[in-house]
């Protein structure tokens, strides 16, 4: 009897469209990929409540599903995993606890001026791009413009606040964490127990899609990588 497919649900970076995953080909006879786009938060909504609403959009039994979240999408995947049992949780260019944040982001957290930070990012396109994907050349910035064409400012302000008040002190168990060796937003020096992508920046999804197409399904199956950057 044929085994049912494993359903892979992809959550993009903060406020970006699911088009960020356009280079990933994860559907085959064993797997099928789906997308969980961002939607507007309710007034005063907590990240836990938002995760519950996103969870309601999953069409399959969660025990047969893998959640893959990039950046803030990785945080959301972890929140969803607190409310339902998933086959696997994969986070990419994200973090598992407050201890993995950069020194700069920790200073922002201590300052607790979240509205000020969000408004400053919204007013400065270059600063916002750097916050979302790190420092990037003109070509990379132009590429990312089409992923943000329908940018929701209300969502962005909400998400910035949730990012900084997410006080996860200890990592959840059994998270597959994939991180770029050259991530400038969440430097890998602070990251524990991750799989390293050589040359990967914070914009790892579109810029290293070939790596994910080669390795991600094997990692989900539990097969180890076969190159020297396996884990740190």
């Amino acid at each position: 009897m044929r085994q049912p497919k494993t359903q892979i649900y992809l959550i993009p970076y903060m406020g970006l469209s699911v088009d960020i995953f356009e280079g990933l080909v994860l559907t085959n006879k064993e797997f099928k990929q789906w997308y969980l786009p961002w939607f507007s938060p309710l007034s005063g909504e907590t990240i836990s409540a938002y995760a519950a609403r996103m969870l309601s959009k999953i069409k399959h039994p969660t025990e047969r599903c893998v959640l893959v979240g990039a950046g803030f999408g990785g945080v959301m995947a972890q929140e969803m995993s607190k409310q339902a049992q998933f086959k696997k949780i994969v986070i990419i260019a994200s973090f598992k606890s407050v201890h993995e944040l950069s020194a700069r982001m920790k200073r922002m957290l201590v300052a607790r001026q979240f509205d000020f930070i969000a408004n400053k990012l919204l007013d400065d396109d270059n600063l916002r791009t750097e916050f979302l994907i790190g420092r990037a050349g003109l070509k990379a910035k132009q590429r990312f413009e089409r992923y943000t064409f329908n940018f929701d400012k209300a969502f962005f302000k909400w998400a910035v606040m949730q990012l900084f008040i997410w006080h996860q002190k200890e990592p959840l168990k059994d998270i597959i964490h994939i991180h770029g060796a050259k991530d400038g937003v969440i430097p890998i020096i602070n990251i524990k127990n991750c799989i390293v992508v050589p040359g990967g920046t914070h914009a790892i999804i579109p810029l290293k899609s070939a790596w994910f197409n080669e390795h991600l399904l094997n990692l989900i199956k539990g097969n180890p990588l076969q190159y020297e950057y396996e884990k740190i």
Side-chain angles (χ1 to χ4, degrees):
M1 185 175 180
R2 179 182 293 182
Q3 292 292 323
K5 286 189 176 186
T6 296
Q7 311 295 329
I8 302 176
Y9 280 83
L10 300 160
I11 311 171
Y13 294 88
M14 181 186 291
L16 300 189
S17 74
V18 296
D19 292 340
I20 197 83
F21 297 115
E22 63 187 356
L24 300 193
V25 182
L26 306 175
T27 295
N28 59 25
K29 64 180 181 180
E30 297 178 70
F31 298 90
K32 186 169 182 179
Q33 68 192 73
W34 304 83
Y35 305 99
L36 289 171
W38 299 113
F39 47 87
S40 296
L42 302 175
S43 178
E45 189 166 28
T46 64
I47 192 171
S48 177
Y50 189 99
R53 288 207 292 148
M54 185 169 272
L55 189 60
S56 72
K57 299 179 184 297
I58 291 179
K59 304 175 182 179
H60 306 88
T62 56
E63 295 85 357
R64 290 199 281 112
C65 295
V66 174
L67 280 185
V68 179
F72 183 61
V75 171
M76 190 58 63
Q78 291 172 81
E79 278 298 307
M80 292 168 69
S81 75
K82 296 175 183 178
Q83 302 181 33
Q85 182 67 44
F86 287 89
K87 189 169 186 176
K88 289 273 174 64
I89 303 294
V90 181
I91 66 171
I92 301 167
S94 189
F95 61 100
K96 303 182 293 294
S97 78
V98 293
H99 306 297
E100 294 185 334
L101 289 172
S102 67
R104 181 185 180 190
M105 293 181 80
K106 286 177 181 176
R107 287 194 297 270
M108 292 179 181
L109 192 156
V110 171
R112 299 192 67 81
Q113 295 179 320
F114 308 126
D115 270 348
F116 172 79
I117 294 168
N119 286 327
K120 191 172 182 179
L121 292 171
L122 286 169
D123 291 340
D124 188 324
D125 291 345
N126 289 326
L127 195 61
R128 185 172 68 251
T129 299
E130 185 176 335
F131 178 80
L132 289 172
I133 65 170
R135 293 180 180 176
L138 180 60
K139 187 175 181 180
K141 287 181 179 179
Q142 289 174 337
R143 184 173 183 176
F144 267 77
E145 282 179 5
R146 63 194 184 88
Y147 302 136
T148 61
F149 67 95
N150 193 24
F151 202 75
D152 185 332
K153 292 185 177 181
F155 171 86
F156 187 77
K157 291 185 72 171
W158 174 85
V160 167
M161 176 173 284
Q162 300 308 315
L163 177 72
F164 284 114
I165 66 173
W166 193 64
H167 289 169
Q168 186 69 35
K169 293 183 178 180
E170 296 296 330
L172 301 178
K173 293 181 179 179
D174 302 322
I175 301 288
I176 299 175
H177 187 167
I178 301 171
H179 215 83
K182 296 183 177 180
D183 192 313
V185 177
I186 308 175
I188 200 164
I189 191 171
N190 299 316
I191 303 297
K192 305 298 182 186
N193 300 318
C194 74
I195 294 162
V196 183
V197 179
T201 65
H202 197 64
I204 194 172
I205 295 289
L207 301 182
K208 291 288 185 178
S209 57
W211 186 96
F212 287 99
N213 288 336
E214 181 178 357
H215 297 293
L216 184 55
L217 295 184
N218 276 327
L219 289 170
I220 290 171
K221 290 179 186 179
N223 299 328
L225 294 182
Q226 300 296 324
Y227 65 82
E228 59 182 317
Y229 275 89
E230 185 171 341
K231 275 193 177 183
I232 64 170

